[in-house]
Amino acid sequence: GQQLNQSPQSMFIQEGEDVSMNCTSSSIFNTWLWYKQDPGEGPVLLIALYKAGELTSNGRLTAQFGITRKDSFLNISASIPSDVGIYFCAGFDNYGQNFVFGPGTRLSVLP
Amino acid sequence: SAVISQKPSRDICQRGTSLTIQCQVDSQVTMMFWYRQQPGQSLTLIATANQGSEATYESGFVIDKFPISRPNLTFSTLTVSNMSPEDSSIYLCSVIDRGREQFFGPGTRLTVL
């Protein structure tokens, strides 16, 4: 079945730095979603993208739906300690039938 | 967006017993999903639960092990039967809202001794 790849798998950054992570697929997706999961909690939806090329912001977060429809990136600007967590990309395939999760990017923010 | 609650939030169970997890949504939704998240892993779909029909299970998951009920459009249960330590995971329910956005409950953290 379809799989999503996320990179990097994990990252350590200094507080205040900007962060970029991406998600790629071997097949076309028609929706991209980015989630953040804190320890012991369920994933929380951060941003939803519906059209190729779409660029959407949510506070310090910005995500883009790649033109090829096979990738998406998430940027976090001016990171803060509460940004720590696992960031998952997810999406519906081109037929809208299968919802797929990426393996996640684990973010650590150092003070 | 839909607000989802789960009970219990966590439990510690003995091998061979069963646990039923409840999922409540604050609005009527057609499709509800149950996921498992093993330690340090991503989410794996167990089954899709639609009201009025039997749940649809993903490969590797069977109804005898994970029976699901969906009595109405706001509620579902997942039972983890005859538990073993390998069933220790976080179990999450989710719903589709606003067409293509999937929202998750807070999860139930299960530890099987």
Side-chain angles (χ1 to χ4, degrees):
Chain A
Q2 289 113 351
Q3 287 188 327
L4 295 178
N5 299 305
Q6 287 188 245
S7 64
Q9 287 186 327
S10 65
M11 54 197 314
F12 291 81
I13 61 170
Q14 293 288 333
E15 183 176 354
E17 287 185 354
D18 297 340
V19 176
S20 184
M21 61 189 78
N22 74 336
C23 182
T24 59
S25 169
S26 58
S27 59
I28 290 174
F29 275 64
N30 66 14
T31 303
W32 288 98
L33 305 173
W34 284 94
Y35 293 86
K36 176 175 183 274
Q37 186 175 29
D38 292 328
E41 304 288 330
V44 174
L45 182 63
L46 300 173
I47 293 179
L49 302 162
Y50 299 108
K51 295 189 296 188
E54 180 180 354
L55 184 71
T56 298
S57 293
N58 178 7
R60 293 179 296 107
L61 278 62
T62 301
Q64 185 158 30
F65 193 140
I67 292 293
T68 65
R69 296 171 64 191
K70 293 183 178 182
D71 63 342
S72 176
F73 72 74
L74 175 71
N75 287 344
I76 305 173
S77 62
S79 59
I80 59 178
S82 62
D83 290 333
V84 167
I86 303 175
Y87 291 81
F88 292 100
C89 65
F92 279 102
D93 66 12
N94 197 34
Y95 302 99
Q97 297 296 315
N98 297 308
F99 189 81
V100 184
F101 261 86
T105 292
R106 184 180 296 272
L107 177 64
S108 300
V109 179
L110 306 174
Chain B
S1 62
V3 177
I4 305 168
S5 60
Q6 287 185 231
K7 289 183 187 179
S9 59
R10 58 178 61 226
D11 206 344
I12 300 173
C13 301
Q14 294 294 326
R15 181 195 300 259
T17 62
S18 297
L19 176 71
T20 296
I21 303 167
Q22 299 178 6
C23 179
Q24 180 77 51
V25 189
D26 69 342
S27 58
Q28 293 185 337
V29 292
T30 303
M31 299 174 74
M32 294 180 75
F33 306 88
W34 287 98
Y35 284 83
R36 181 173 73 182
Q37 186 178 28
Q38 294 178 305
Q41 303 293 316
S42 187
L43 285 76
T44 301
L45 180 63
I46 297 172
T48 302
N50 294 330
Q51 196 265 338
S53 62
E54 283 198 3
T56 304
Y57 290 83
E58 297 298 304
S59 175
F61 297 97
V62 295
I63 187 171
D64 289 346
K65 176 68 175 177
F66 297 102
I68 288 171
S69 78
R70 183 80 200 276
N72 58 53
L73 292 175
T74 64
F75 187 78
S76 178
T77 67
L78 170 76
T79 298
V80 186
S81 303
N82 188 25
M83 289 184 283
S84 66
E86 292 71 33
D87 294 321
S88 298
S89 285
I90 299 173
Y91 291 85
L92 300 125
C93 70
S94 74
V95 304
I96 300 288
D97 196 12
R98 298 204 289 249
R100 286 181 282 177
E101 295 178 15
Q102 189 163 18
F103 296 91
F104 288 84
T108 295
R109 183 179 295 271
L110 172 62
T111 301
V112 184
L113 303 178

